[in-house]
Amino acid sequence: MGMHASAHIVWDWNGTLFHDNDAIIGATNAAFAELGLEPITLEQYRTLYCVPVPKFYERLLGRLPTDTEWELMDGVFHRYYTEHRVRCGLTDGAAELLAGWRSAGHSQSLLSMYGHEDLVPLVRGFGIEAHFIRVDGRTGPSGGSKAEHMVRHLEALTGVVEPARTVVIGDAADDAVAARHVGARAVLYTGGSHSRASLESIGVPVVDTLAKAVAEARRLAA
């Protein structure tokens, strides 16, 4: 494919391009109910959420879940989420931003911690797959960090993109950690899983819209 001389964006999916907050909170509360935990609000979720996900559950339980509890909660979460994601759509303006970035001659890819076999048809169904030079979802167990997945994602794009001119756009602190792990930059978006305060503690640009995220990515990769 040859080297892209221009900037590259690695997009996150859940909570970033895909506005699925309602499904995420519903699935989280369904999982909590299995252990008798009280439901939480989106604001509480954004304040407490972290990865690896068992640590998030520890903040609610006061202890790490056992392996059996984790498997139970994870299963309930994914069943609920799969049922309710159909009512979710792309974040406002996302499709236009993807098209604009591509038409400007830049490249972009998608890396998600959502399971690969579920992610690909979902992206395809929104008619945006052609905007990405690569789409990767999680392979292996859920609940871990994105950092090692980011390593494999960029290794697959060796000779196509340069880490130094790559910007990760996501809604979670872990997106910035993964970017730093591979020598890329990051911009964090407040519309997803984290509160602005928790994102600002990471030390990377934090924005309230995807349009501002793309503008910041353009600046960082210049």
Side-chain angles (χ1 to χ4, degrees):
M1 283 186 282
M3 173 63 75
H4 284 267
S6 60
H8 181 78
I9 291 175
V10 178
W11 289 96
D12 174 55
W13 180 246
N14 303 96
T16 304
L17 288 175
F18 190 43
H19 188 65
D20 59 350
N21 291 341
D22 289 345
I24 290 286
I25 295 301
T28 298
N29 284 330
F32 286 173
E34 292 297 317
L35 297 190
L37 292 171
E38 292 296 316
I40 63 172
T41 65
L42 176 60
E43 290 71 25
Q44 290 171 315
Y45 181 92
R46 285 174 165 165
T47 299
L48 296 170
Y49 182 74
C50 63
V51 295
V53 177
K55 294 290 290 183
F56 168 52
Y57 290 157
E58 181 182 23
R59 293 179 175 185
L60 277 299
L61 281 169
R63 60 175 175 80
L64 281 170
T66 66
D67 289 345
T68 299
E69 288 171 335
W70 163 252
E71 289 177 10
L72 173 64
M73 296 172 79
D74 192 49
V76 169
F77 178 95
H78 286 289
R79 285 194 297 274
Y80 183 101
Y81 180 82
T82 299
E83 180 182 347
H84 289 81
R85 73 182 187 194
V86 296
R87 292 195 289 271
C88 302
L90 296 178
T91 300
D92 287 346
E96 292 79 7
L97 288 167
L98 293 173
W101 185 260
R102 182 187 180 197
S103 66
H106 306 305
S107 61
Q108 55 200 329
S109 57
L110 176 59
L111 175 63
S112 174
M113 294 299 283
Y114 192 43
H116 185 77
E117 298 303 317
D118 293 312
L119 174 69
V120 171
L122 189 56
V123 172
R124 188 172 295 145
F126 282 111
I128 59 173
E129 185 181 22
H131 295 313
F132 305 111
I133 61 174
R134 186 174 183 88
V135 174
D136 283 328
R138 187 199 77 250
T139 56
S142 62
S145 172
K146 186 178 270 188
E148 292 307 317
H149 294 270
M150 187 68 73
V151 170
R152 291 191 291 272
H153 184 72
L154 287 193
E155 282 178 349
L157 296 174
T158 298
V160 181
V161 304
E162 302 173 70
R165 298 204 66 200
T166 295
V167 179
V168 176
I169 296 179
D171 68 315
D174 192 48
D175 291 301
V177 172
R180 191 175 299 128
H181 193 65
V182 295
R185 311 290 285 276
V187 179
L188 298 179
Y189 163 62
T190 61
S193 62
H194 281 40
S195 68
R196 171 174 273 277
S198 63
L199 293 178
E200 287 178 338
S201 70
I202 307 304
V204 303
V206 177
V207 298
D208 295 322
T209 69
L210 292 188
K212 290 180 180 178
V214 170
E216 190 67 18
R218 186 179 294 109
R219 183 187 70 81
L220 291 173

